[in-house]
Amino acid sequence: MSATVVNLRQARKQKARDSKAQSAAENRRKFGRSKAEKSQEHAEATLETKRFEGHKLTSVSSSSPTDED
């Protein structure tokens, strides 16, 4: 019935290293793209938004119907 002894200082430092590595990988993916790739992604997002907005059943208008009795 022996448990594994864990050095908390080393575990904490390893966790920090893993966190930094994960954020570095995320930044490489996010910022390590060419201008063409960025513009392509932006164009796809714009097209997707236009398609979504075009399929709405009702349009949003600034004037709403009011019932005056």
Side-chain angles (χ1 to χ4, degrees):
M1 287 241 194
S2 65
T4 305
V5 177
V6 176
N7 188 330
L8 296 177
R9 177 182 51 86
Q10 288 177 345
R12 184 178 63 245
K13 287 184 177 185
Q14 185 61 42
K15 183 178 178 182
R17 282 187 214 109
D18 292 342
S19 175
K20 283 185 180 183
Q22 182 180 5
S23 66
E26 187 175 316
N27 284 337
R28 281 192 301 272
R29 184 197 60 79
K30 189 174 182 181
F31 297 110
R33 299 177 296 162
S34 68
K35 188 173 183 178
E37 290 172 331
K38 290 177 189 177
S39 63
Q40 177 68 27
E41 183 176 316
H42 179 69
E44 289 173 356
T46 303
L47 181 61
E48 182 179 328
T49 302
K50 285 183 180 181
R51 285 182 179 161
F52 179 76
E53 294 294 325
H55 285 91
K56 287 187 175 181
L57 295 177
T58 59
S59 62
V60 177
S61 62
S62 60
S63 62
S64 61
T66 57
D67 293 326
E68 294 181 11
D69 291 71

